[in-house]
Amino acid sequence: MSASDDRQAGSEFSGNEFDELFPLGYEGHYWHRARTAIVKSYVHAFCGVGDTLLEIGAARGHYVSVLRKAGFDAYGCDLGDPWLHEEARPFVFPKTDFAEIDKELRERVTTVLLLDVLEHIEQPVTFLDRVVRAFPALRLLIIALPARQELWSNFDEHYRHFLRYDVTELRKLALRSRLSIKSYSYVFHGLYLPTLLLKKLGMKRGTAFRAPKAPRLHRLLGIVLRVESQFLPKNVYGTSLICACAKDPRSENARCN
């Protein structure tokens, strides 16, 4: 089966969905401010400056730009065709499956980022196996996921999610994918109770981000959500889950047999 035949059909966003989730100025929203800092902290903790990274599902390339500015050799790809941040354009490949990226680049990639991607995949174990096979030098995956199935809402249905993950489901996925979890934590702890309350009251969530009209407030909220992720215990519930997973060396022989 070719790489294109084995794609997760329908997982890519439409133009309207990109516009809903990533409007002009979205990176200034408190959620993205906090997430950017959290992702950067994970990358700095587990990767060396200069390492080659690939974000699968890179959308407009914000995180690729951020990581390149931090000294990493970062690239991205996306099955969709969004407009890209100008500074990310040379390094993000739209309408491209990760297995179709230039072979020389694939052979350099040591870390893959899957930031809110796997919840869109019906068969995540098969998908992760494809990822591992496509990047022979791969050592690490940094994965972010929407968390806690009790928070399931119209937002998840709108964006065609299959699951909101918890630590148990994450461990099952890692075991079945022959990955070793090096670190994990719930994040966005402060958003858990408000989101649960909305669910209990039967209120629908908004499905579109809005560019911030009060940038100072969003900057402050972003700092608060980033700081709480550093000090609260990792098992305190949050609306997202992030982890770093390494290839289990014992899986190499299994894949070759």
Side-chain angles (χ1 to χ4, degrees), residues 108-122:
R108 286 178 16 225
V109 170
T110 57
T111 298
V112 163
L113 288 83
L114 296 165
L115 306 180
D116 291 279
V117 169
L118 291 181
E119 69 273 16
H120 300 279
I121 308 296
E122 187 172 9

Side-chain angles (χ1 to χ4, degrees), residues 31 37 39 49 71 87 89 105 110 124 132-133 136 179 205 209 226 230 244:
W31 190 87
V39 169
V49 171
E87 66 272 18
R89 287 175 187 167
L105 175 55
T110 57
V132 171
R133 290 177 184 274
L179 298 173
R205 284 184 57 185
F209 273 91
R226 172 175 58 84
Q230 297 172 325

